[in-house]
Amino acid sequence: MPSSPACEILPWHQDLWGVLAASPRLGHALLLAGPAGVGKTRFADALGRHLLCATGSACGQCRSCHLLTVANHPDLVRCAPAPGKTEIPIDDVRELTAFLTLTSHLGRGRVAIIEEAERLSRAAANALLKSLEEPPLGAHLLLISHAPERLLPTVRSRCQRVNFPVPAWEEGLTYLQSVGCPQPVAALTLAGGAPLRAAALTAADLQMGEDLLKALEDVRSGRLDALAAAEVWHKIDGHKAFAVLTALLARAIQRTVPVPSGDRPDPLADRLQTLVVGLDLRQIFGLWDKILDHRGLLDAPLDRRLVWDEVFLVWQHMSHQTA
Ligand SMILES: [Zn+2]
């Protein structure tokens, strides 16, 4: 049985794949945009396979498909920030653009995949513009980004944008069950509905979600003082905790509107619903905005305590107003 990319395409991307793979005029530069953990990279890999296969159908049998399977294809290059680095430097892009101008080894053109494209340095993004404007014959550029608004507008405007939204909740749950995720509901909640991100969460991440929810419940009920909660939470990995906090609030906000019938039981969502019942939705959104604003301050060691103080004090204030 040939390994057609249709088999590798995630269930929630099948329709999109059908449209793009059949498109006779696929753009030479695509921007695959959407939140982290929905499968953009996997989709880009399948697209690369589709473009480079000798039969144009990702047959799984030809030399090209074989070389892709062993990650050693001479006409495919990948580019991403180096481990521990925040930017993709201009030298990496120079190498990549030079690669695209060379003659294809196997005669099906050349493909470059840029992961986390929002991390291209300004100079690197500018160096990429020429390839986007006047692509070498047979060259395909696949840019992947979960923060496309951070890309230079000149880069964005030269790419055909393909959006990858978070899939339907049920679809995400079905996927997580199929890959043996032990706590699919909790994982999907904490991952903001992104299934691959949910599948990658550890037991410690899930425990953090439970602990943070408990802290919110206890502050809401008055069992725990806001500043005492902040005392605990400011010592914990701030970025992870804030991601968990925003995911919990997002699901709680979702639950303030009536749940469609047919949903499977979701005790965690019920707890979140109880957590925010009676609260002013505008205040919850206000807190949400504050959390997003504060994310940038988390790396400053002195501010972290103040950030958590404010989050829990606002939460306590909201809770007491409606208690
Ligand atoms: Zn093939």
Side-chain angles (χ1 to χ4, degrees):
M1 174 86 183
S3 69
S4 140
C7 305
E8 300 159 18
I9 300 296
L10 291 160
W12 54 93
H13 290 155
Q14 290 288 349
D15 290 349
L16 180 64
W17 176 259
V19 172
L20 278 190
S23 169
R25 290 175 59 84
L26 195 61
H28 61 84
L30 300 184
L31 170 58
L32 283 61
V38 297
K40 300 183 297 299
T41 302
R42 205 186 276 209
F43 195 93
D45 287 341
L47 216 43
R49 185 176 282 258
H50 174 75
L51 290 165
L52 292 173
C53 168
T55 70
S57 63
C59 66
Q61 307 290 314
C62 71
R63 178 148 178 253
S64 210
C65 283
H66 174 68
L67 289 168
L68 283 167
T69 303
V70 296
N72 191 26
H73 198 296
D75 293 326
L76 179 90
V77 69
R78 310 185 77 93
C79 181
K85 299 287 179 194
T86 55
E87 284 193 332
I88 300 175
I90 185 169
D91 287 349
D92 289 10
V93 168
R94 284 198 179 122
E95 264 181 46
L96 180 143
T97 54
F99 167 89
L100 288 177
T101 61
L102 299 174
T103 308
S104 164
H105 281 270
L106 294 169
R108 294 285 303 180
R110 301 204 127 189
V111 175
I113 297 177
I114 303 181
E115 295 178 48
E116 297 183 62
E118 71 279 357
R119 304 234 227 145
L120 286 164
S121 73
R122 195 174 179 86
N126 279 316
L128 192 63
L129 283 180
K130 191 165 180 306
S131 297
L132 294 174
E133 272 165 5
E134 300 166 34
L137 194 66
H140 282 275
L141 272 153
L142 307 177
L143 278 68
I144 303 171
S145 179
H146 57 256
E149 69 285 354
R150 284 196 234 145
L151 277 166
L152 279 189
T154 42
V155 169
R156 270 203 313 268
S157 65
R158 282 162 179 78
C159 296
Q160 180 185 341
R161 181 166 170 150
V162 186
N163 286 322
F164 288 76
V166 165
W169 191 262
E170 283 296 313
E171 208 158 17
L173 279 185
T174 304
Y175 170 79
L176 287 174
Q177 281 164 340
S178 76
V179 297
C181 175
Q183 295 185 57
V185 173
L188 199 58
T189 300
L190 299 185
L196 302 193
R197 200 164 140 209
L201 291 178
T202 63
D205 295 329
L206 294 169
Q207 188 60 48
M208 181 188 279
E210 171 59 32
D211 293 346
L212 194 44
L213 175 55
K214 180 85 170 52
L216 291 170
E217 286 171 340
D218 287 351
V219 171
R220 167 112 212 236
S221 68
R223 284 192 298 271
L224 178 65
D225 177 67
L227 294 178
E231 175 59 29
V232 173
W233 282 91
H234 88 276
K235 294 172 186 157
I236 290 167
D237 180 338
H239 291 285
K240 268 196 178 181
F242 261 46
V244 165
L245 185 57
T246 46
L248 288 174
L249 283 178
R251 188 75 176 137
I253 290 167
Q254 273 180 4
R255 282 288 166 148
T256 58
V257 295
V259 184
S261 58
D263 261 15
R264 60 187 98 189
D266 185 343
L268 179 57
D270 294 343
R271 266 175 84 188
L272 287 165
Q273 194 171 6
T274 307
L275 183 71
V276 296
V277 74
L279 294 184
D280 182 343
L281 197 55
R282 277 171 310 173
Q283 287 189 328
I284 304 176
F285 275 114
L287 178 61
W288 166 275
D289 281 343
K290 213 174 273 296
I291 291 167
L292 294 185
D293 287 348
H294 283 344
R295 273 186 160 181
L297 298 173
L298 288 171
D299 292 323
L302 288 176
D303 283 337
R304 198 184 273 188
R305 174 65 204 251
L306 296 175
V307 169
W308 280 103
D309 280 354
E310 189 179 3
V311 166
F312 279 114
L313 282 170
V314 167
W315 177 249
Q316 182 169 269
H317 181 69
M318 285 161 63
S319 303
H320 290 185
Q321 271 188 327
T322 54

